[in-house]
Amino acid sequence: QSTLTQPPSASGTPGQRVLISCSGSISNVGTNTVNWYQQVPGAAPRLLIHSDNQRPSGVPDRFSASKSGTSASLAITGLQSEDEADYYCAPWDDSLNGVVFGGGTKLTVL
Amino acid sequence: QVQLVQSGAEVKRPGASMKVSCTASGYIFTNYDINWVRQAPGQGPEWMGWMNPNSGKSGSLQKFQDRLSMTRDTSANTAYLELSGLRFDDTAVYYCARNPWGTYGLFDFWGQGTRVTVSS
C-alpha cells in the first residue's frame, strides 16, 4: 500500500480530457517535486512529466501537470487510444529517505 | 543514443542471491546516478536505491539495507544490483534507471528490465 493515493482507474473517450490525481503528504508531494510516469504493459516506465510540470522533449503537449499543497494532478487532453496505460506519480519522500511511487492509475480509452 | 541494457532473466531458490547488471552507453556513465526499481507482478514500481557511479556512494530504502548491494565497474560502464536472502516476494522485474545529479525521482532512461523469479 503506497503512501501516495491515486485513483485505481480512469477512463475517457477519444478527444476528451482526463485528470489523474496523486494525494500525498508534507514529507513527499508537499515538499518535493513530483514526477509522472507512463507504463504500457510489458514495457519499462517512461518519464512523462518531471519537476512538477515540465515535459521532457518528445512528450506531446497534450500532457500537463500541476501541484497544490500535498496533491498533484496529471491532465491529458485530446485523449488518444495510445494513451491507454498505467500512470504513476513519484516524488522523493523525506521520511522514507527515498523515492515513493503512487499506487498507479489504469487509464482506459473507451 | 542513451541505452541501458540489462542482463537476462534469472530463476533463484529461496535464500539464494541474485545479481543483475546494467550496461550504459551513449552518455558518460559517471555523470549520472543509477537507480534500481522493481515491480512485482501486477503491482506498481518500488524504488530500491541509488548509486553514484563516480564515487560508488549509494543509498537505499531501509527495508533493503541489510541484503542489498549496489556496485559498479566504470571500465565497463556497468552497474550491478545484488540482493541476498531471496524470498518469494522478491519475485519481480528489476529495472535500472538513470537519474541526473541533483534530481530526485527523475528517471529519464530505463533499462529493459530483468525478470527474477524466486521459486522452490
Side-chain angles (χ1 to χ4, degrees), chain A residues 33 35 37 39 43-47 50-51 88 90-92 96-103, chain B residues 35 37 39 43-47 50 60-62 95 103-108 110-113:
Chain A
T33 60
N35 308 290
Y37 294 89
Q39 187 179 32
R46 168 200 180 197
L47 181 65
H50 68 87
S51 308
Y88 299 94
W92 181 268
L96 293 174
N97 200 27
V99 179
V100 60
F101 283 86
Chain B
N35 286 247
V37 177
Q39 191 167 26
Q43 303 297 312
E46 178 182 34
W47 182 82
W50 64 272
S60 63
L61 277 179
Q62 189 169 12
Y95 295 100
T103 66
Y104 301 90
L106 194 172
F107 309 132
D108 59 355
W110 293 65
Q112 83 276 20

Side-chain angles (χ1 to χ4, degrees), chain A residues 8-104:
Chain A
S9 64
S11 63
T13 57
Q16 274 191 330
R17 178 178 184 262
V18 169
L19 208 61
I20 296 173
S21 62
C22 171
S23 179
S25 66
I26 192 66
S27 67
N28 43 63
V29 177
T31 301
N32 301 298
T33 60
V34 178
N35 308 290
W36 289 89
Y37 294 89
Q38 177 193 60
Q39 187 179 32
V40 297
R46 168 200 180 197
L47 181 65
L48 202 62
I49 297 284
H50 68 87
S51 308
D52 291 340
N53 55 19
Q54 302 298 304
R55 272 188 317 276
S57 60
V59 173
D61 60 5
R62 302 186 294 104
F63 295 91
S64 64
S66 62
K67 189 177 80 173
S68 178
T70 58
S71 292
S73 60
L74 172 72
I76 309 171
T77 58
L79 201 60
Q80 298 181 5
S81 58
E82 67 207 49
D83 298 334
E84 193 161 281
D86 295 321
Y87 292 84
Y88 299 94
C89 56
W92 181 268
D93 189 296
D94 291 339
S95 297
L96 293 174
N97 200 27
V99 179
V100 60
F101 283 86

